[in-house]
Amino acid sequence: MAQAPTTARIRQRRRQRLLLIVLLLLLSLGGAAYYLTQQAAPKPRVQERPPGKVAVPVARAPINLGTSVSLANMTLRYYDPLEVPPDALLKPFQFERRVTLRNIPAGSYLRERDLSERDAPSSISGLVRPGMRVVVVETNNIRGSTGFLRAGDHVDVLAIGWSAGKGDPAAAAGTPGVTGPGQPAAGRTPRPIPGVLPGASNATLVAEGAEVLVAPRAERGNVSRYAVLQMMPQDAHLTSLALGGGAILRFVYRPFNEDGRVVEPTPVEQTVHLPRDVRTVEVIAGSTRSMQNASVGSH
């Protein structure tokens, strides 16, 4: 014979039904509130170009040197036609898939000289402008400027050395390292001795208007630091030659928009000389005869 439900079971079932009804009521209220909130909230509208304005792409956030530019890096700013910068790039195809050749601040427009050729690598070779060269200089070869160099600086590069002179005991004692830069087997620049005038210093202007692409910085795990300079090919070759001779470099800062030079550049010429045309001739001096080699032609 089946037992009748007890009073405790009846009360438990009533509580369960009541909880289910309350839960369904809360879900219904939550859904209604969400629907009303979505209806009241204004839908985002796509910003349209104001009448008579010109859209100019500008950097949405700072773009670092060597970054491949895309539409994700840019946003639009609207100008009056007379306010549009004449050198600004306005179309996406003009800047997409091109690498930045300098740090682009937020809100700045892009110019042709700020970007590399299309599909250039994001390496040093991709950062070099056509017709220019890049020299990497270890900061051990730089004096007096490593703490002040910043990307975008324009500097003249001097190679500094010492020559033997009066009052220089190191030169009198035959100590190596007092020769100027660029000489074979030139040693280190001697340390100055208090109270004694050093030998005459000599400076060679090896580069003018070099642009600092990457300033020296401390890197994790690396003791040495480097500066990356962009300069004309003639200057790059002279700077590399001075560094190979153990020269110490000093930088003279110039305005970023000054292009004048102290020494006009000369084209890089062929440095390989062709062999001379050597022929044997007979030389008659009095009653004696001898065979000698004679060089015909020039280098």
Side-chain angles (χ1 to χ4, degrees):
M1 183 176 180
Q3 297 181 354
T6 62
T7 304
R9 290 182 178 178
I10 294 175
R11 291 177 179 176
Q12 183 179 6
R13 291 175 181 175
R14 289 178 179 176
R15 286 195 298 267
Q16 291 176 350
R17 287 196 296 267
L18 181 60
L19 290 175
L20 182 60
I21 293 173
V22 172
L23 181 61
L24 291 176
L25 181 60
L26 292 176
L27 291 176
S28 300
L29 292 176
Y34 177 78
Y35 176 78
L36 294 176
T37 303
Q38 291 297 318
Q39 292 294 325
K43 296 182 179 180
R45 298 176 59 186
V46 179
Q47 184 181 7
E48 298 180 357
R49 183 172 61 180
K53 298 287 186 178
V54 177
V56 177
V58 297
R60 185 187 305 273
I63 305 177
N64 294 328
L65 172 75
T67 301
S68 181
V69 182
S70 65
L71 282 175
N73 303 113
M74 311 302 294
T75 187
L76 294 179
R77 183 175 294 174
Y78 299 99
Y79 293 88
D80 291 329
L82 296 179
E83 296 177 350
V84 176
D87 55 349
L89 301 181
L90 304 180
K91 302 297 183 180
F93 73 88
Q94 295 178 309
F95 57 79
E96 283 190 310
R97 293 163 45 198
R98 300 178 67 179
V99 175
T100 54
L101 302 181
R102 68 179 183 93
N103 293 325
I104 309 296
S108 299
Y109 62 88
L110 298 177
R111 297 171 295 183
E112 185 67 28
R113 63 179 183 179
D114 295 335
L115 302 175
S116 69
E117 299 294 332
R118 189 178 297 273
D119 296 327
S122 57
S123 59
I124 291 181
S125 291
L127 302 181
V128 186
R129 294 191 181 95
M132 303 293 283
R133 299 291 185 270
V134 161
V135 177
V136 179
V137 182
E138 191 173 1
T139 53
N140 293 338
N141 297 99
I142 305 173
R143 292 293 183 270
S145 297
T146 53
F148 299 93
L149 280 179
R150 297 292 184 270
D153 280 335
H154 289 243
V155 296
D156 294 337
V157 183
L158 300 176
I160 306 295
W162 297 96
S163 59
K166 279 189 175 183
D168 190 348
T175 304
V178 296
T179 54
Q183 298 183 12
R188 300 181 305 174
T189 302
R191 295 181 179 179
I193 302 176
V196 179
L197 292 176
S201 63
N202 57 71
T204 303
L205 181 60
V206 295
E208 296 188 56
E211 180 183 358
V212 180
L213 296 181
V214 179
R217 63 183 183 272
E219 299 178 355
R220 294 182 179 180
N222 294 333
V223 178
S224 59
R225 300 179 299 172
Y226 297 89
V228 181
L229 305 177
Q230 179 174 244
M231 57 188 70
M232 298 186 65
Q234 299 85 348
D235 296 345
H237 298 165
L238 288 177
T239 303
S240 300
L241 181 61
L243 291 173
I248 297 299
L249 303 184
R250 285 190 178 271
F251 296 154
V252 179
Y253 294 85
R254 62 160 58 193
F256 73 95
N257 55 353
E258 181 181 314
D259 297 329
R261 292 178 61 92
V262 177
V263 180
E264 291 299 325
T266 57
V268 179
E269 299 179 353
Q270 182 180 4
T271 56
V272 177
H273 300 286
L274 300 177
R276 294 183 178 183
D277 184 7
V278 179
R279 301 178 183 178
T280 303
V281 297
E282 182 180 9
V283 178
I284 302 176
S287 60
T288 61
R289 296 183 179 182
S290 61
M291 304 299 294
Q292 296 183 6
N293 294 330
S295 297
V296 179
S298 58
H299 289 75

PDB file of all heavy atoms in Angstrom, residues 276-296:
ATOM      1  N   ARG A 276     100.366  48.535 -65.691  1.00  0.00           N
ATOM      2  CA  ARG A 276     101.006  49.250 -66.798  1.00  0.00           C
ATOM      3  C   ARG A 276     101.470  48.284 -67.883  1.00  0.00           C
ATOM      4  O   ARG A 276     101.716  47.106 -67.639  1.00  0.00           O
ATOM      5  CB  ARG A 276     102.215  50.029 -66.284  1.00  0.00           C
ATOM      6  CG  ARG A 276     101.855  51.166 -65.328  1.00  0.00           C
ATOM      7  CD  ARG A 276     103.106  51.918 -64.941  1.00  0.00           C
ATOM      8  NE  ARG A 276     102.795  53.043 -64.069  1.00  0.00           N
ATOM      9  CZ  ARG A 276     103.708  53.913 -63.633  1.00  0.00           C
ATOM     10  NH1 ARG A 276     104.985  53.780 -64.001  1.00  0.00           N
ATOM     11  NH2 ARG A 276     103.348  54.907 -62.848  1.00  0.00           N
ATOM     12  N   ASP A 277     101.577  48.848 -69.069  1.00  0.00           N
ATOM     13  CA  ASP A 277     102.110  48.086 -70.196  1.00  0.00           C
ATOM     14  C   ASP A 277     103.647  48.109 -70.121  1.00  0.00           C
ATOM     15  O   ASP A 277     104.293  49.129 -70.388  1.00  0.00           O
ATOM     16  CB  ASP A 277     101.631  48.712 -71.514  1.00  0.00           C
ATOM     17  CG  ASP A 277     102.073  47.890 -72.723  1.00  0.00           C
ATOM     18  OD1 ASP A 277     102.630  46.791 -72.509  1.00  0.00           O
ATOM     19  OD2 ASP A 277     101.866  48.355 -73.849  1.00  0.00           O
ATOM     20  N   VAL A 278     104.238  46.998 -69.674  1.00  0.00           N
ATOM     21  CA  VAL A 278     105.686  46.925 -69.470  1.00  0.00           C
ATOM     22  C   VAL A 278     106.333  46.258 -70.689  1.00  0.00           C
ATOM     23  O   VAL A 278     105.944  45.163 -71.084  1.00  0.00           O
ATOM     24  CB  VAL A 278     106.025  46.134 -68.194  1.00  0.00           C
ATOM     25  CG1 VAL A 278     107.535  46.049 -68.009  1.00  0.00           C
ATOM     26  CG2 VAL A 278     105.358  46.781 -66.983  1.00  0.00           C
ATOM     27  N   ARG A 279     107.310  46.943 -71.263  1.00  0.00           N
ATOM     28  CA  ARG A 279     108.019  46.412 -72.426  1.00  0.00           C
ATOM     29  C   ARG A 279     109.523  46.495 -72.191  1.00  0.00           C
ATOM     30  O   ARG A 279     109.999  47.351 -71.451  1.00  0.00           O
ATOM     31  CB  ARG A 279     107.646  47.192 -73.699  1.00  0.00           C
ATOM     32  CG  ARG A 279     106.155  47.162 -74.009  1.00  0.00           C
ATOM     33  CD  ARG A 279     105.824  47.987 -75.239  1.00  0.00           C
ATOM     34  NE  ARG A 279     104.381  48.012 -75.493  1.00  0.00           N
ATOM     35  CZ  ARG A 279     103.813  48.676 -76.478  1.00  0.00           C
ATOM     36  NH1 ARG A 279     104.568  49.391 -77.328  1.00  0.00           N
ATOM     37  NH2 ARG A 279     102.501  48.645 -76.649  1.00  0.00           N
ATOM     38  N   THR A 280     110.248  45.603 -72.849  1.00  0.00           N
ATOM     39  CA  THR A 280     111.713  45.572 -72.746  1.00  0.00           C
ATOM     40  C   THR A 280     112.321  46.378 -73.881  1.00  0.00           C
ATOM     41  O   THR A 280     111.979  46.178 -75.060  1.00  0.00           O
ATOM     42  CB  THR A 280     112.229  44.121 -72.804  1.00  0.00           C
ATOM     43  OG1 THR A 280     111.604  43.372 -71.757  1.00  0.00           O
ATOM     44  CG2 THR A 280     113.731  44.079 -72.631  1.00  0.00           C
ATOM     45  N   VAL A 281     113.207  47.296 -73.509  1.00  0.00           N
ATOM     46  CA  VAL A 281     113.887  48.116 -74.521  1.00  0.00           C
ATOM     47  C   VAL A 281     115.394  47.956 -74.342  1.00  0.00           C
ATOM     48  O   VAL A 281     115.886  47.607 -73.260  1.00  0.00           O
ATOM     49  CB  VAL A 281     113.494  49.599 -74.389  1.00  0.00           C
ATOM     50  CG1 VAL A 281     112.012  49.779 -74.652  1.00  0.00           C
ATOM     51  CG2 VAL A 281     113.854  50.140 -73.012  1.00  0.00           C
ATOM     52  N   GLU A 282     116.134  48.221 -75.413  1.00  0.00           N
ATOM     53  CA  GLU A 282     117.591  48.154 -75.396  1.00  0.00           C
ATOM     54  C   GLU A 282     118.141  49.563 -75.270  1.00  0.00           C
ATOM     55  O   GLU A 282     117.819  50.442 -76.065  1.00  0.00           O
ATOM     56  CB  GLU A 282     118.107  47.494 -76.674  1.00  0.00           C
ATOM     57  CG  GLU A 282     119.624  47.348 -76.702  1.00  0.00           C
ATOM     58  CD  GLU A 282     120.116  46.685 -77.977  1.00  0.00           C
ATOM     59  OE1 GLU A 282     119.267  46.504 -78.896  1.00  0.00           O
ATOM     60  OE2 GLU A 282     121.295  46.359 -78.066  1.00  0.00           O
ATOM     61  N   VAL A 283     118.933  49.769 -74.222  1.00  0.00           N
ATOM     62  CA  VAL A 283     119.529  51.074 -73.973  1.00  0.00           C
ATOM     63  C   VAL A 283     120.998  51.020 -74.383  1.00  0.00           C
ATOM     64  O   VAL A 283     121.756  50.157 -73.902  1.00  0.00           O
ATOM     65  CB  VAL A 283     119.392  51.474 -72.490  1.00  0.00           C
ATOM     66  CG1 VAL A 283     120.052  52.822 -72.241  1.00  0.00           C
ATOM     67  CG2 VAL A 283     117.921  51.505 -72.082  1.00  0.00           C
ATOM     68  N   ILE A 284     121.426  51.957 -75.269  1.00  0.00           N
ATOM     69  CA  ILE A 284     122.813  52.022 -75.742  1.00  0.00           C
ATOM     70  C   ILE A 284     123.441  53.271 -75.148  1.00  0.00           C
ATOM     71  O   ILE A 284     122.974  54.386 -75.383  1.00  0.00           O
ATOM     72  CB  ILE A 284     122.883  52.069 -77.279  1.00  0.00           C
ATOM     73  CG1 ILE A 284     122.186  50.820 -77.868  1.00  0.00           C
ATOM     74  CG2 ILE A 284     124.311  52.193 -77.742  1.00  0.00           C
ATOM     75  CD1 ILE A 284     122.131  50.835 -79.368  1.00  0.00           C
ATOM     76  N   ALA A 285     124.443  53.095 -74.308  1.00  0.00           N
ATOM     77  CA  ALA A 285     125.181  54.212 -73.712  1.00  0.00           C
ATOM     78  C   ALA A 285     126.649  54.062 -74.106  1.00  0.00           C
ATOM     79  O   ALA A 285     127.392  53.258 -73.534  1.00  0.00           O
ATOM     80  CB  ALA A 285     125.026  54.224 -72.187  1.00  0.00           C
ATOM     81  N   GLY A 286     127.076  54.841 -75.095  1.00  0.00           N
ATOM     82  CA  GLY A 286     128.450  54.722 -75.576  1.00  0.00           C
ATOM     83  C   GLY A 286     128.660  53.384 -76.241  1.00  0.00           C
ATOM     84  O   GLY A 286     127.994  53.031 -77.207  1.00  0.00           O
ATOM     85  N   SER A 287     129.590  52.620 -75.704  1.00  0.00           N
ATOM     86  CA  SER A 287     129.894  51.306 -76.282  1.00  0.00           C
ATOM     87  C   SER A 287     129.212  50.176 -75.533  1.00  0.00           C
ATOM     88  O   SER A 287     129.457  48.998 -75.827  1.00  0.00           O
ATOM     89  CB  SER A 287     131.417  51.087 -76.270  1.00  0.00           C
ATOM     90  OG  SER A 287     131.901  51.145 -74.934  1.00  0.00           O
ATOM     91  N   THR A 288     128.367  50.521 -74.547  1.00  0.00           N
ATOM     92  CA  THR A 288     127.685  49.479 -73.767  1.00  0.00           C
ATOM     93  C   THR A 288     126.219  49.420 -74.136  1.00  0.00           C
ATOM     94  O   THR A 288     125.595  50.419 -74.479  1.00  0.00           O
ATOM     95  CB  THR A 288     127.831  49.745 -72.254  1.00  0.00           C
ATOM     96  OG1 THR A 288     127.222  51.012 -71.948  1.00  0.00           O
ATOM     97  CG2 THR A 288     129.304  49.787 -71.868  1.00  0.00           C
ATOM     98  N   ARG A 289     125.709  48.239 -74.014  1.00  0.00           N
ATOM     99  CA  ARG A 289     124.291  48.010 -74.278  1.00  0.00           C
ATOM    100  C   ARG A 289     123.683  47.277 -73.082  1.00  0.00           C
ATOM    101  O   ARG A 289     124.340  46.428 -72.481  1.00  0.00           O
ATOM    102  CB  ARG A 289     124.087  47.172 -75.536  1.00  0.00           C
ATOM    103  CG  ARG A 289     124.561  47.843 -76.814  1.00  0.00           C
ATOM    104  CD  ARG A 289     124.256  46.962 -78.014  1.00  0.00           C
ATOM    105  NE  ARG A 289     124.661  47.575 -79.260  1.00  0.00           N
ATOM    106  CZ  ARG A 289     124.469  47.030 -80.463  1.00  0.00           C
ATOM    107  NH1 ARG A 289     123.872  45.853 -80.571  1.00  0.00           N
ATOM    108  NH2 ARG A 289     124.869  47.655 -81.545  1.00  0.00           N
ATOM    109  N   SER A 290     122.443  47.617 -72.767  1.00  0.00           N
ATOM    110  CA  SER A 290     121.744  46.948 -71.656  1.00  0.00           C
ATOM    111  C   SER A 290     120.258  46.892 -71.984  1.00  0.00           C
ATOM    112  O   SER A 290     119.733  47.717 -72.735  1.00  0.00           O
ATOM    113  CB  SER A 290     121.962  47.686 -70.333  1.00  0.00           C
ATOM    114  OG  SER A 290     121.449  49.019 -70.402  1.00  0.00           O
ATOM    115  N   MET A 291     119.609  45.886 -71.391  1.00  0.00           N
ATOM    116  CA  MET A 291     118.172  45.702 -71.579  1.00  0.00           C
ATOM    117  C   MET A 291     117.447  46.203 -70.330  1.00  0.00           C
ATOM    118  O   MET A 291     117.796  45.835 -69.192  1.00  0.00           O
ATOM    119  CB  MET A 291     117.817  44.237 -71.828  1.00  0.00           C
ATOM    120  CG  MET A 291     118.590  43.633 -73.029  1.00  0.00           C
ATOM    121  SD  MET A 291     118.245  44.478 -74.599  1.00  0.00           S
ATOM    122  CE  MET A 291     116.536  44.054 -74.803  1.00  0.00           C
ATOM    123  N   GLN A 292     116.451  47.071 -70.466  1.00  0.00           N
ATOM    124  CA  GLN A 292     115.678  47.623 -69.351  1.00  0.00           C
ATOM    125  C   GLN A 292     114.201  47.531 -69.646  1.00  0.00           C
ATOM    126  O   GLN A 292     113.780  47.510 -70.809  1.00  0.00           O
ATOM    127  CB  GLN A 292     116.099  49.090 -69.099  1.00  0.00           C
ATOM    128  CG  GLN A 292     117.527  49.270 -68.663  1.00  0.00           C
ATOM    129  CD  GLN A 292     117.836  50.737 -68.361  1.00  0.00           C
ATOM    130  OE1 GLN A 292     116.951  51.575 -68.387  1.00  0.00           O
ATOM    131  NE2 GLN A 292     119.103  51.024 -68.090  1.00  0.00           N
ATOM    132  N   ASN A 293     113.438  47.475 -68.541  1.00  0.00           N
ATOM    133  CA  ASN A 293     111.976  47.484 -68.662  1.00  0.00           C
ATOM    134  C   ASN A 293     111.485  48.918 -68.667  1.00  0.00           C
ATOM    135  O   ASN A 293     111.887  49.730 -67.850  1.00  0.00           O
ATOM    136  CB  ASN A 293     111.328  46.721 -67.512  1.00  0.00           C
ATOM    137  CG  ASN A 293     111.652  45.242 -67.561  1.00  0.00           C
ATOM    138  OD1 ASN A 293     111.861  44.676 -68.644  1.00  0.00           O
ATOM    139  ND2 ASN A 293     111.682  44.587 -66.401  1.00  0.00           N
ATOM    140  N   ALA A 294     110.616  49.225 -69.600  1.00  0.00           N
ATOM    141  CA  ALA A 294     110.055  50.574 -69.700  1.00  0.00           C
ATOM    142  C   ALA A 294     108.533  50.485 -69.587  1.00  0.00           C
ATOM    143  O   ALA A 294     107.904  49.605 -70.200  1.00  0.00           O
ATOM    144  CB  ALA A 294     110.431  51.233 -71.013  1.00  0.00           C
ATOM    145  N   SER A 295     107.935  51.359 -68.788  1.00  0.00           N
ATOM    146  CA  SER A 295     106.472  51.404 -68.620  1.00  0.00           C
ATOM    147  C   SER A 295     105.871  52.364 -69.623  1.00  0.00           C
ATOM    148  O   SER A 295     106.327  53.511 -69.738  1.00  0.00           O
ATOM    149  CB  SER A 295     106.129  51.854 -67.186  1.00  0.00           C
ATOM    150  OG  SER A 295     106.627  50.899 -66.256  1.00  0.00           O
ATOM    151  N   VAL A 296     104.867  51.899 -70.326  1.00  0.00           N
ATOM    152  CA  VAL A 296     104.234  52.716 -71.348  1.00  0.00           C
ATOM    153  C   VAL A 296     102.786  52.966 -70.907  1.00  0.00           C
ATOM    154  O   VAL A 296     102.086  52.051 -70.483  1.00  0.00           O
ATOM    155  CB  VAL A 296     104.242  52.018 -72.717  1.00  0.00           C
ATOM    156  CG1 VAL A 296     103.543  52.871 -73.773  1.00  0.00           C
ATOM    157  CG2 VAL A 296     105.674  51.696 -73.102  1.00  0.00           C
TER     158      VAL A 296
END
